[in-house]
Amino acid sequence: MKKILVCNRKAVETKYGKMALVFWQHVNSLVEVSKTKGMDAVLICLDDKKDMQQYGLDPVTDILDTRQNKAAIDGIFEKAHPDCVVIVGAQDIIPFQILKDPTKTEKEESPYIPSDLPYCSKHTYSQIVSDFLPPTRMVTRLPDLHGATGEDGLEVFIETIKGAVSFQQKDEKEYQDILCLYAEQWERITLKTMQALVPSGKISQYASPPNKHPLEHNVLAHNVHFINLHGDKLDNSFYGQEGNKYPKALTADAVYRGIREGSVAVVLCCYGAQLYRTPGEWSAANAYLAGGAVMMGSTVLAITGPAEELGSRFLNAFRSSAKPSMQQAFLNARTSFIAARSKKPLDIFELKTLAEFVFYGDCGLPYIKGEAQENVANIQEEITYIRENIGFAAASPEHTVPEVVRMQVEQDRREGNYRIDSEIRIFGITGFTESLETSGWDRIRQYVVSMTDINEGKHHFVYTFEQGKITDSREYTEK
């Protein structure tokens, strides 16, 4: 496996000053350990002229310029042909790409998604989610503490690298049992998701409420976490729900003290993957990484339904008999999620889900012992299938909403005792190639409306309309 770690020298030295030397010592230790495990590993600083010129590439001159960083990583994939790229550092060292949230208009609050998805595609710089689908590259991120200065804050990165360096493969049985912590409101979809996992194992379930809050750190000693709770901006705790009450269910401190080294976490909470710093606190994502775990999580508001599906596909992928690496499992989860839409096109909330979920952890060997089965050909077949057969929602200039759709909106409003928050938005369906006439996607429309319940919870309805009738209706809630 050829593995390239990318970083930004100036950003690190500006951030840590004299302590930057310690930062580089730990990064170099990861490179050397990767080599001892049979990987062809190298560190490239995107702003270093010498590093970049060996590939005939221009260095990044503005640390936070998303266009420059996208071009630099594209160039590394094209010229060096790595199997995987590891982004070293939080978004103040190498920025997230900023994508337009397809579920929102630019006039709404927070209309953008910080994402690593564009780095996983050869498509040139853009802010449109669908431009980077299906993803074809394996990219992970090993974040430090966003906003850290000098010695203060370097500890979380040191612990993160130590976890990656000391990683050892485990037996398959070590990843069969799962800690499942969820908001009581989402019990039905959570348990349904657990039932679909393969292989099956013991599920340690904790609903919030009624379980003790917050969860004690000694309960967290499982190698697989499935966390389906509420999260919020700049908050390192996750919450359950009962009516309009949101008890604290899990804290970053408990995660760090209780997590096992080599654990895998699927964190479906809103802002579960946000990287930030407040005095004396780490984000929950940093706590997982510093505790020796890897994780997938969302950088913004997550959506119930698509989030559970993507999370379960990831768990099934990395625990499969093929024994893929974590980065391969995350890529598999994304592509299989898209390929499953052969009869129902990707709606705007599914597009958002594919953009907002990122993977944090090292790029390396499979977590499960045994001979890994290369499935590159299968992935390529799936990508070809997606490009030729899958459709997705795109804004439509049309203004007319069929009466049958308006009637259904009113019925759903009355049944849920909801308040309608938005006009009905209209979306046409397009494809990843120009084969619309043969696919039939051009005959389909999707209509989207948002509503609020009596507890101020947000609900989003998507109605798929074809040949004069509604052929599919979906209701999503925000986490």
Side-chain angles (χ1 to χ4, degrees):
M1 172 188 288
K2 187 172 185 178
K3 165 181 172 179
I4 293 181
L5 295 85
V6 296
C7 199
N8 187 298
R9 191 174 304 280
K10 181 180 179 181
V12 171
E13 293 174 353
T14 299
K15 189 171 184 176
Y16 290 110
K18 294 180 180 179
M19 297 303 296
L21 179 62
V22 177
F23 181 99
W24 295 121
Q25 286 173 342
H26 283 83
V27 174
N28 288 329
S29 72
L30 178 57
V31 172
E32 293 307 311
V33 167
S34 297
K35 291 178 180 178
T36 66
K37 294 179 178 179
M39 288 175 269
D40 177 7
V42 65
L43 169 66
I44 297 175
C45 288
L46 302 184
D47 63 321
D48 188 293
K49 288 184 179 179
K50 184 178 179 181
D51 283 0
M52 297 297 279
Q53 282 178 352
Q54 64 179 313
Y55 300 104
L57 301 172
D58 294 328
V60 169
T61 58
D62 184 338
I63 295 169
L64 300 182
D65 189 306
T66 54
R67 192 182 295 268
Q68 284 190 25
N69 280 275
K70 167 65 171 151
I73 291 178
D74 283 351
I76 286 170
F77 269 105
E78 291 166 8
K79 298 295 180 67
H81 307 292
D83 295 297
C84 180
V85 163
V86 184
I87 297 172
V88 180
Q91 65 268 37
D92 53 354
I93 291 181
I94 293 184
F96 288 116
Q97 294 292 301
I98 305 302
L99 300 175
K100 293 179 180 179
D101 187 336
T103 70
K104 296 185 177 182
T105 66
E106 292 189 1
K107 294 180 180 180
E108 294 182 83
E109 182 182 359
S110 304
Y112 298 100
I113 302 172
S115 177
D116 282 335
L117 173 65
Y119 295 127
C120 302
S121 169
K122 67 179 181 180
H123 193 286
T124 55
Y125 174 84
S126 166
Q127 291 188 305
I128 307 301
V129 173
S130 58
D131 283 347
F132 305 106
L133 299 177
T136 57
R137 300 170 175 168
M138 292 183 284
V139 177
T140 69
R141 185 184 286 263
L142 273 173
D144 66 335
L145 191 62
H146 179 251
T149 55
E151 184 174 0
D152 180 30
L154 186 57
E155 177 188 2
V156 67
F157 184 69
I158 293 174
E159 294 300 313
T160 296
I161 296 297
K162 284 182 177 179
V165 166
S166 61
F167 163 74
Q168 297 292 327
Q169 292 177 308
K170 299 180 186 292
D171 290 329
E172 184 176 1
K173 64 181 180 180
E174 296 291 326
Y175 290 105
Q176 288 187 357
D177 297 346
I178 297 175
L179 170 68
C180 178
L181 179 57
Y182 59 91
E184 189 273 339
Q185 178 192 20
W186 298 323
E187 182 171 66
R188 183 177 179 182
I189 190 169
T190 302
L191 299 186
K192 182 179 179 181
T193 302
M194 292 295 99
Q195 292 169 0
L197 295 180
V198 179
S200 60
K202 179 183 176 182
I203 309 295
S204 298
Q205 299 170 195
Y206 294 88
S208 178
N211 282 283
K212 183 179 179 181
H213 301 98
L215 208 63
E216 297 291 342
H217 73 274
N218 57 356
V219 178
L220 302 179
H222 291 68
N223 288 326
V224 181
H225 284 200
F226 189 90
I227 310 299
N228 201 10
L229 296 164
H230 286 284
D232 204 357
K233 293 179 181 177
L234 304 182
D235 191 332
N236 67 349
S237 295
F238 299 131
Y239 300 84
Q241 181 181 1
E242 184 178 38
N244 60 0
K245 296 180 180 179
Y246 299 86
K248 185 178 289 188
L250 185 63
T251 65
D253 179 66
V255 167
Y256 178 65
R257 292 193 295 138
I259 194 71
R260 285 178 176 175
E261 192 172 280
S263 296
V264 180
V266 172
V267 182
L268 304 183
C269 321
C270 290
Y271 303 100
Q274 65 180 334
L275 301 173
Y276 69 93
R277 176 178 179 270
T278 55
E281 293 186 348
W282 297 350
S283 72
N286 282 126
Y288 267 111
L289 272 291
V294 297
M295 65 165 286
M296 62 164 281
S298 174
T299 59
V300 291
L301 284 169
I303 303 296
T304 300
E308 284 83 357
E309 180 183 346
L310 186 64
S312 66
R313 288 182 180 277
F314 170 65
L315 287 181
N316 284 344
F318 103 78
R319 302 186 309 153
S320 72
S321 60
K323 298 180 176 63
S325 61
M326 284 296 162
Q327 63 273 11
Q328 180 73 62
F330 191 58
L331 177 61
N332 291 359
R334 277 172 160 168
T335 55
S336 67
F337 180 98
I338 301 170
R341 272 64 186 169
S342 59
K343 296 182 180 179
K344 297 176 182 178
L346 287 163
D347 63 44
I348 56 175
F349 299 99
E350 292 168 329
L351 289 171
K352 176 179 181 176
T353 298
L354 288 162
E356 68 190 352
F357 276 90
V358 296
F359 183 81
Y360 294 154
D362 188 24
C363 158
L365 301 174
Y367 266 45
I368 296 174
K369 291 180 180 177
E371 186 175 349
Q373 299 175 16
E374 292 292 336
N375 58 355
V376 175
N378 291 341
I379 284 288
Q380 290 304 319
E381 288 176 7
E382 196 162 55
I383 288 170
T384 299
Y385 174 82
I386 289 169
R387 288 173 173 162
E388 294 178 352
N389 296 279
I390 303 301
F392 61 90
S396 170
E398 297 177 19
H399 299 286
T400 303
V401 178
E403 185 60 26
V404 65
V405 174
R406 292 190 181 278
M407 291 173 62
Q408 188 62 52
V409 168
E410 178 57 22
Q411 180 179 327
D412 288 335
R413 183 199 67 77
R414 289 198 309 268
E415 289 180 355
N417 192 23
Y418 297 149
R419 179 183 74 245
I420 295 179
D421 294 335
S422 69
E423 295 291 331
I424 299 175
R425 298 172 64 192
I426 306 173
F427 296 86
I429 306 299
T430 187
F432 295 104
T433 62
E434 300 298 324
S435 58
L436 282 177
E437 292 183 4
T438 57
S439 69
W441 292 125
D442 56 333
R443 298 192 297 270
I444 299 175
R445 296 293 179 270
Q446 286 185 337
Y447 300 90
V448 178
V449 65
S450 299
M451 306 187 197
T452 300
D453 62 32
I454 58 175
N455 294 316
E456 295 303 310
K458 298 296 183 183
H459 301 254
H460 307 286
F461 291 83
V462 179
Y463 307 98
T464 300
F465 185 82
E466 184 178 8
Q467 296 180 342
K469 61 182 179 180
I470 296 174
T471 57
D472 183 58
S473 178
R474 310 176 204 179
E475 179 181 358
Y476 300 125
T477 59
E478 295 180 356
K479 294 185 180 296

